[in-house]
């Protein structure tokens, strides 16, 4: 669990290390505010991938008589907005768009649950590559399908606002599994 008291103490120390006075009017409540923000934006750190899968395991078999009914079907959810924080610099990864696709194996997941999985996975110290892998692992666990694809495009403030300072740079990652890895025709669903 996230230790908000320890975060408050450390933020106070960072303010001092930056040469500022944590008791001045504008900063008095900053350590508490940052601790509450961290509790919110890093909520996903409280859960394993398996626990997230259990949390959002809402599937439906209605209207699916057998697996033959699912042949040729693909479920795709596009442009799911998420954010995360880079584990290397604690910098914001923003304007992230996630595309998730899977081939159903007898059941489908509730659509809002796909977005909730993406959101919860992003709420960790992360790498964009791992976000895609974690989402794919969870979707595969919930649906029972090995045929899963997750693509992500996003901006990284550790590239845009510091260091090399390339403002228009976006990073694209793809986690392709099963038929999405083998069949290039399926990859068009997540581009």
């Amino acid at each position: 669990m996230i230790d908000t008291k320890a975060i408050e103490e450390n933020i106070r120390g960072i303010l001092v290390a930056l040469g500022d006075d944590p008791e001045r009017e504008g900063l008095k409540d900053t350590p508490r505010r940052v601790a509450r923000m961290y509790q919110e934006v890093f909520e996903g750190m409280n859960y394993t991938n398996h626990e997230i899968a259990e949390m959002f395991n809402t599937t439906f078999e209605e209207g699916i008589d057998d697996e033959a009914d699912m042949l040729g079907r693909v479920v795709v959810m596009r442009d799911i907005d998420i954010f995360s924080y880079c584990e290397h610099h604690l910098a914001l990864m923003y304007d992230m768009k996630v595309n998730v696709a899977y081939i159903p194996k007898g059941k489908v997941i509730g659509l809002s649950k796909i977005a909730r999985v993406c959101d919860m996975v992003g709420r960790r110290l992360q790498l964009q590559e791992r976000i895609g892998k974690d989402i794919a692992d969870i979707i595969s666990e919930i649906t029972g399908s090995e045929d899963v694809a997750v693509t992500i495009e996003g901006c990284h403030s550790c590239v845009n606002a510091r260091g090399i300072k390339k403002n228009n740079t976006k990073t694209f990652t793809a986690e392709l599994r099963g038929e999405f890895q083998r069949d290039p025709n399926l990859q068009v669903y997540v581009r």
Side-chain angles (χ1 to χ4, degrees):
M1 297 307 281
I2 295 173
D3 184 345
T4 56
K5 288 298 175 200
I7 292 170
E8 285 183 38
E9 291 170 18
N10 284 288
I11 293 300
R12 181 175 296 286
I14 288 171
L15 293 172
V16 169
L18 290 172
D20 214 326
D21 176 11
E23 294 304 316
R24 77 173 169 84
E25 188 59 34
L27 294 178
K28 278 183 186 176
D29 289 329
T30 296
R32 182 184 53 78
R33 284 192 298 265
V34 171
R36 282 196 353 239
M37 179 188 77
Y38 279 6
Q39 190 173 29
E40 177 184 337
V41 301
F42 296 125
E43 180 184 5
M45 296 181 75
N46 293 319
Y47 307 103
T48 66
N49 284 352
H50 176 68
E51 289 168 331
I52 294 171
E54 288 181 334
M55 190 181 313
F56 300 119
N57 187 4
T58 301
T59 59
F60 304 94
E61 297 178 24
E62 297 171 15
I64 303 170
D65 294 330
D66 59 37
E67 208 156 306
D69 283 346
M70 298 309 293
L71 291 177
R73 294 188 186 178
V74 176
V75 176
V76 182
M77 196 163 183
R78 301 177 68 69
D79 296 328
I80 302 166
D81 290 316
I82 69 165
F83 67 88
S84 192
Y85 285 84
C86 164
E87 66 183 35
H88 295 149
H89 299 98
L90 302 181
L92 185 63
M93 294 187 280
Y94 61 98
D95 288 342
M96 297 179 82
K97 301 285 187 193
V98 180
N99 301 315
V100 177
Y102 70 97
I103 298 173
K105 299 291 187 219
K107 60 184 176 180
V108 294
I109 183 175
L111 294 177
S112 70
K113 302 308 183 218
I114 295 172
R116 290 178 192 279
V117 165
C118 295
D119 188 55
M120 190 63 76
V121 167
R123 291 176 182 264
R124 298 170 168 167
L125 291 173
Q126 280 283 28
L127 299 174
Q128 185 170 319
E129 299 88 341
R130 190 180 316 115
I131 294 171
K133 178 191 176 308
D134 288 349
I135 292 169
D137 287 347
I138 294 166
I139 296 299
S140 185
E141 181 175 340
I142 293 171
T143 64
S145 178
E146 313 82 40
D147 305 314
V148 177
V150 178
T151 59
I152 305 170
E153 184 174 74
C155 299
H156 294 238
S157 61
C158 57
V159 172
N160 299 351
R162 58 153 302 279
I164 192 74
K165 296 180 186 152
K166 296 300 179 190
N167 294 333
N168 296 316
T169 302
K170 291 185 177 181
T171 300
F172 178 84
T173 56
E175 178 77 16
L176 306 174
R177 298 180 179 182
E179 287 302 312
F180 288 98
Q181 187 176 39
R182 292 185 286 275
D183 186 349
N185 294 320
L186 288 173
Q187 294 170 14
V188 299
Y189 291 114
V190 289
R191 286 191 185 137

